[in-house]
């Protein structure tokens, strides 16, 4: 990410400079959030950085294909297909790094499908980048880990309703059905005299 504000670039003044400053600041905040596993904060920061980058890019080009603001994040692959001919190699590198950072933050949040989209966008810009390929492997491994964790969880359904709404009838129906599943019931009943525990058929 240092290439964004590298001294190798020509000095930037005016509106572009005002855009680069918050972009660099947001990038640093996103990287720090990833290191500290503050994934939600990190996503907010990287979104702000990408938004600032898009504003700078749009201001620098008057002949861009039609697109909506923040399509760069909403539909990144489609946006890149439209804009790739307008991107310099340096811009591709920076944008690929931002997409990769966002993918890692999203994977940490558990948004696996979206993380795959973002790392895919990064690789569209730099398909042979070894660092990006490692990020892709890490994102995919995180997805496998999350899927295994989901499968090990016990599904829970909470049934609520007014008196006479049919809660007990529904539970008895579930208990009588031959679905091959093991059902455990935790009943939370208010009042001095329990009623539902006598009505529920828990012998099956």
């Amino acid at each position: 990410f240092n290439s964004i504000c590298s001294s190798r670039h020509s000095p930037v003044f005016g509106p572009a400079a005002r855009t680069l400053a918050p972009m660099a600041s947001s990038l640093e905040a996103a990287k720090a959030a990833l290191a500290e596993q503050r994934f939600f904060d990190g996503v907010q920061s990287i979104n702000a950085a990408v938004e600032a980058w898009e504003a700078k890019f749009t201001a620098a080009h008057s002949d861009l294909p039609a697109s909506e603001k923040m399509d760069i994040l909403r539909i990144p692959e489609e946006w890149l297909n439209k804009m790739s001919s307008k991107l310099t190699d340096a811009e591709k590198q920076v944008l690929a790094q931002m997409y990769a950072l966002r993918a890692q933050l999203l994977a940490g949040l558990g948004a696996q499908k979206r993380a795959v989209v973002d790392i895919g966008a990064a690789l569209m810009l730099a398909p042979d980048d070894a660092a990006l390929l490692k990020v892709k492997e890490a994102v995919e491994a995180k997805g496998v880990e999350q899927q295994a964790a989901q499968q090990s969880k016990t599904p829970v359904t909470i049934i609520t309703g007014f008196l006479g709404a049919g809660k007990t009838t529904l539970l008895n129906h579930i208990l009588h059905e031959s679905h091959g599943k093991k059902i455990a019931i935790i009943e939370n009943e208010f009042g001095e005299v329990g009623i539902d525990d006598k009505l529920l058929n828990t012998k099956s």
Side-chain angles (χ1 to χ4, degrees):
F1 300 106
N2 294 332
S3 59
I4 296 174
C5 299
S6 172
S7 59
R8 290 176 294 173
H9 294 279
S10 300
V12 181
F13 303 99
R18 290 194 294 272
T19 301
L20 281 173
M23 179 171 62
S25 175
S26 295
L27 273 174
E28 290 303 318
K31 288 190 286 184
L34 178 62
E36 298 166 10
Q37 297 188 352
R38 294 183 292 105
F39 302 119
F40 182 81
D41 293 340
V43 170
Q44 301 304 308
S45 295
I46 192 62
N47 286 355
V50 174
E51 184 177 7
W53 186 94
E54 183 189 32
K56 171 181 173 290
F57 176 74
T58 303
H61 299 274
S62 59
D63 58 343
L64 293 176
S67 67
E68 297 292 331
K69 184 179 179 181
M70 295 305 287
D71 277 355
I72 191 173
L73 287 182
R74 280 193 294 268
I75 44 175
E77 293 180 356
E78 183 178 328
W79 188 90
L80 289 173
N81 285 329
K82 288 182 179 180
M83 306 295 181
S84 58
S85 63
K86 304 293 184 180
L87 294 167
T88 65
D89 289 342
E91 288 171 333
K92 288 179 180 179
Q93 181 183 7
V94 171
L95 190 54
Q97 291 174 339
M98 288 196 288
Y99 276 131
L101 177 55
R102 190 168 187 266
Q104 293 175 85
L105 289 162
L106 289 168
L109 274 178
Q112 180 63 20
K113 290 183 179 179
R114 186 64 222 199
V116 169
V117 170
D118 277 26
I119 192 58
L123 287 168
M124 284 179 66
L125 294 162
D128 300 321
D129 189 298
L132 295 182
L133 290 170
K134 286 185 178 180
V135 172
K136 181 176 183 287
E137 291 177 4
V139 167
E140 291 174 345
K142 187 72 173 178
V144 172
E145 178 185 324
Q146 289 171 354
Q147 187 175 9
Q150 287 291 334
Q151 291 174 347
S152 66
K153 292 181 179 179
T154 301
V156 175
T157 301
I158 300 175
I159 301 175
T160 65
F162 294 107
L163 181 65
K167 302 182 297 295
T168 305
T169 302
L170 173 61
L171 284 174
N172 277 328
H173 175 73
I174 293 172
L175 292 171
H176 280 104
E177 281 295 306
S178 299
H179 41 59
K181 296 182 179 179
K182 294 181 179 179
I183 304 293
I185 297 175
I186 301 175
E187 182 190 350
N188 184 19
E189 188 172 8
F190 294 96
E192 296 181 2
V193 179
I195 299 175
D196 284 347
D197 61 329
K198 295 181 174 60
L199 298 175
L200 282 173
N201 182 0
T202 57
K203 296 178 182 180
S204 56

